[in-house]
């Protein structure tokens, strides 16, 4: 006979789970109706009574579960403040459960249609049923307990003779020894794995099989217990959570468009094109001057595409010779050319399933163009020096600052390749074409670099803004970013001033600043006049917006314009 004071502490008992019906206002979750709860806990002793079939509100439902009102207040308060409680330990009503305490958590989740629902989980942390008396394994009372819990149970001695099997264990398994998980009881460790079976009912079950050694009072292993739990419903809940996570990720991907900053019509046109083409596998051609953000646009397309979880690789075709470019794109075998001491994987192979961005494709040699055309047409690559091809699935995005059509007429670019890559074209505007975005971008870069350099710089002065607004920006966004990084380094106050900018660059021949604006910048005798000119320039000489910006009436603004003899040049 085998006697023990306590046999099992079911800390891993099934969680009690509930969901609410959907609701539109996340602040009114207390009135939401409870739609689902799992009654499976009744069988393992965690639930003492049947819950009502008629839907009750979340507040009524939780009030009947929580033993102490303070626990309920904390749970509801965390949901109100953060939409999620995290894991907190609460006491349960004795009328609801024999589990003294449990870890409770809840979260409000937004669905794809804009509605919300609340889900809650309760997992016991005290024994479901403590066996305080010595029990004989052959005792009918113990058999009744083990047979009545929700798990399938099999108990065996150190020689693997079966001492007890619950009816559910007998129903699920013909050969219980196949699930004992270890062969030597003295050297065993707790073991847990998931097994899928299809019983006579025909519905597949996912079972979590756990086998634990049992020690006697002297600490010697003398038996083992096999506990099998049906986790099919748990896996379904996990699948639903994963689906919700996917929806959340889709929304996060849409946020990637916000990396392309700007409200101008020119940049909004780019964003609409990105949204339109991202979900398709169409080849994209991006045309734009240097520094206009062509790679940023290509990354946004990838992030919003169905390939977002696959690699995104980029290559500047103008930076390499033909042989090195071929090797980078297609890979090579050992000895393919001088210096090829080992086999190499090309970017097409490395980006398989994802996206490859080829910048400055107009610089690509005619020989490499032929190989690229074959990949685009047949989806096959061949490493340098190899005689065999390999299939790849890569979305190609190309970009250039050059006029490819002119290169085609000059026989410097293959016409068939041009038509193959020029399926969907996106034009990235210069900074002067989107000059209303200059101040927005400048402020964003200022705060970015200030944070990197541990500085507090509140804003850009009106005089400095005027210079930034009127500069021609031949280097586009890249030049603006570099100038703001330099200015942040030089700035010694909490406001970026003209003296922090490279004035020698801003005064070059491309500058279109008006004489009166330049005079206002270069002198400080009348700062009020400078402020008015800067606001007029910022608001494109719109008197209503300027008056609102300066917090004065239109009549006062007109009087000041006349007083200072200001004119829109």
């Amino acid at each position: 006979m085998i006697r023990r004071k306590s046999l099992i502490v079911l800390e891993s008992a099934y969680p009690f789970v509930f969901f609410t019906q959907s609701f539109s206002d996340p602040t009114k979750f207390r009135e939401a109706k409870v739609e689902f709860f799992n009654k499976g806990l009744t069988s393992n002793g965690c639930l003492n009574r049947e819950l009502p079939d008629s839907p009750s509100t979340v507040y009524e439902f939780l009030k009947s579960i929580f033993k102490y009102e303070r626990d309920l207040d904390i749970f509801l308060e965390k949901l109100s403040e953060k939409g999620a409680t995290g894991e907190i330990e609460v006491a349960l009503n004795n009328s609801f459960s024999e589990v003294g305490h449990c870890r409770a958590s809840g979260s409000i989740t937004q669905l794809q249609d804009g509605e919300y629902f609340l889900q809650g989980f309760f997992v016991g942390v005290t024994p479901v049923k403590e066996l305080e008396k010595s029990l004989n394994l052959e005792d009918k009372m113990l058999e009744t307990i083990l047979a009545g819990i929700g798990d399938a149970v099999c108990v065996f001695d150190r020689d693997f003779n079966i001492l007890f099997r619950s009816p559910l264990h007998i129903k699920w398994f013909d050969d219980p020894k196949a699930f004992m998980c270890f062969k030597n009881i003295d050297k065993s460790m707790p073991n847990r794995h998931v097994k899928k079976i299809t019983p006579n009912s025909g519905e597949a079950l996912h079972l979590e099989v756990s086998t634990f050694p049992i020690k006697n009072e002297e600490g010697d292993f003398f038996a083992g217990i096999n506990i099998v739990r049906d986790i099919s419903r748990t896996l379904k809940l996990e699948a639903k959570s994963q689906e919700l996570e996917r929806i959340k990720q889709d929304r996060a991907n849409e946020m990637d468009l916000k990396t392309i900053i700007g409200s101008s019509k020119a940049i909004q046109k780019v964003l609409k094109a990105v949204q339109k083409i991202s979900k398709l596998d169409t080849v994209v051609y991006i045309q734009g001057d240097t520094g206009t953000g062509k790679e940023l646009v290509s990354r946004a397309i990838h992030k919003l595409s169905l390939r977002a979880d696959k690699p995104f690789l980029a290559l500047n075709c103008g930076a390499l010779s033909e042989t090195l470019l071929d090797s980078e794109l297609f890979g090579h075998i050992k000895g393919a050319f001088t210096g090829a001491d080992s086999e190499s994987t090309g970017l097409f192979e490395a980006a398989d399933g994802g996206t490859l961005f080829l910048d400055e494709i107009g610089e690509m040699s005619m020989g490499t163009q032929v190989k690229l055309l074959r990949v685009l047409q047949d989806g096959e690559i061949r490493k340098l020096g190899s005689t065999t091809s390999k299939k790849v699935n890569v979305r190609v995005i190309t970009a250039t600052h050059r006029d490819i059509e002119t290169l085609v007429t000059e026989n410097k670019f293959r016409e068939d390749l041009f038509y193959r890559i020029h399926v969907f074209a996106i034009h990235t505007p210069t900074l002067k074409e989107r000059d209303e975005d200059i101040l927005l971008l400048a402020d964003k870069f200022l705060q970015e670099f200030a944070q990197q350099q541990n500085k507090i710089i509140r804003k850009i002065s009106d005089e400095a803004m005027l210079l930034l607004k009127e500069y021609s920006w031949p280097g586009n966004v890249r030049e603006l970013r570099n100038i703001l990084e330099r200015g942040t380094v030089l700035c010694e106050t909490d406001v970026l001033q003209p003296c922090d900018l490279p004035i020698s660059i801003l005064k070059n021949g491309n500058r279109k600043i008006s004489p009166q604006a330049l005079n206002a910048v270069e002198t400080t005798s009348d700062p009020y006049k400078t402020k008015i000119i800067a606001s007029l320039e910022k608001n494109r000489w719109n008197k209503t917006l300027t008056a609102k910006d300066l917090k004065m009436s239109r009549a006062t603004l007109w009087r000041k314009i006349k007083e200072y003899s200001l004119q829109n040049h």
Side-chain angles (χ1 to χ4, degrees), residues 212-323:
F212 303 93
I214 301 175
K215 296 180 181 180
N216 59 21
E217 293 180 352
E218 287 73 33
D220 299 325
F221 292 107
F222 69 93
I225 183 169
N226 179 245
I227 303 175
V228 185
R229 172 171 302 145
D230 182 3
I231 60 171
S232 303
R233 177 168 292 180
T234 302
L235 293 180
K236 289 180 181 178
L237 295 176
E238 289 179 355
K240 185 171 184 177
S241 296
Q242 291 172 0
E243 174 65 15
L244 294 173
E245 183 63 29
R246 186 192 65 78
I247 295 171
K248 182 179 178 181
Q249 185 60 44
D250 287 344
R251 291 176 179 170
N253 287 341
E254 293 176 4
M255 294 294 291
D256 287 323
L257 280 178
K258 294 190 175 181
T259 60
I260 305 176
I261 300 170
S263 58
S264 63
K265 290 183 179 179
I267 205 64
Q268 289 302 314
K269 184 177 180 181
V270 172
L271 294 178
K272 287 181 180 179
V274 169
Q275 289 177 316
K276 182 179 296 184
I277 198 62
S278 60
K279 300 301 181 185
L280 307 177
D281 264 349
T282 305
V283 176
V284 179
Y285 172 82
I286 303 175
Q287 171 75 43
D289 289 355
T290 300
T292 54
K294 296 187 289 296
E295 183 172 343
L296 194 63
V297 171
S298 68
R299 287 184 181 275
I301 293 173
H302 172 74
K303 282 290 187 180
L304 293 177
S305 73
L306 301 178
R307 300 172 180 263
D309 59 339
K310 300 298 181 180
F312 174 90
L313 301 178
L315 178 66
N316 189 323
C317 300
L320 301 172
S321 65
E322 179 177 344
T323 301

Side-chain angles (χ1 to χ4, degrees), residues 80-146:
S80 297
E81 291 178 352
K82 301 179 179 180
T85 64
E87 196 173 75
I88 57 177
E89 187 168 335
V90 302
L92 301 179
N93 277 326
N94 294 333
S95 61
F96 173 75
S97 172
E98 294 177 8
V99 176
H101 293 78
C102 76
R103 292 190 181 94
S105 63
S107 63
I108 299 172
T109 304
Q110 186 174 14
L111 300 171
Q112 196 166 12
D113 58 2
E115 295 284 297
Y116 298 81
F117 79 100
L118 170 64
Q119 56 183 344
F121 295 86
F122 295 79
V123 180
V125 294
T126 54
V128 172
K129 185 73 174 177
E130 294 186 7
L131 307 179
E132 298 178 350
K133 298 179 180 180
S134 280
L135 296 176
N136 192 306
L137 287 176
E138 297 176 353
D139 193 298
K140 274 293 182 183
M141 181 184 291
L142 178 59
E143 290 185 7
T144 302
I145 294 173
L146 294 178

Side-chain angles (χ1 to χ4, degrees), residues 167-232:
L168 195 54
H169 201 282
I170 296 172
K171 177 182 177 181
W172 280 346
F173 306 121
D174 296 327
D175 181 14
K177 293 184 178 181
F179 297 93
M180 291 179 182
C181 305
F182 47 76
K183 297 182 179 180
N184 190 332
I185 196 73
D186 296 313
K187 298 180 180 179
S188 63
M189 294 291 291
N191 183 290
R192 181 174 295 180
H193 69 280
V194 176
K195 181 80 174 177
K196 182 179 179 181
I197 68 167
T198 304
N200 295 332
S201 62
E203 183 179 358
L205 298 176
H206 291 82
L207 306 176
E208 183 182 67
V209 184
S210 304
T211 307
F212 303 93
I214 301 175
K215 296 180 181 180
N216 59 21
E217 293 180 352
E218 287 73 33
D220 299 325
F221 292 107
F222 69 93
I225 183 169
N226 179 245
I227 303 175
V228 185
R229 172 171 302 145
D230 182 3
I231 60 171
S232 303

Side-chain angles (χ1 to χ4, degrees), residues 283-285 317 325-326 329-330 348 358 360-378 396-399 404-405 407-408 412-424:
V283 176
V284 179
Y285 172 82
C317 300
L325 180 58
D326 288 353
L329 289 174
F330 312 112
F348 269 106
L358 301 178
E360 299 303 345
I361 194 173
E363 311 299 327
M364 185 179 288
S365 68
M366 297 294 282
T368 305
Q369 290 178 34
V370 174
K371 298 183 181 73
L372 176 60
L373 181 61
R374 181 184 178 188
V375 177
L376 295 177
Q377 290 179 339
D378 304 330
V396 176
I397 300 177
T398 63
I404 297 293
E405 292 185 71
L407 295 180
V408 170
K412 295 180 180 179
F413 199 89
R414 292 183 62 93
E415 185 176 14
D416 49 1
L417 178 59
F418 171 70
Y419 290 124
R420 190 67 185 81
I421 65 174
H422 201 270
V423 178
F424 187 90

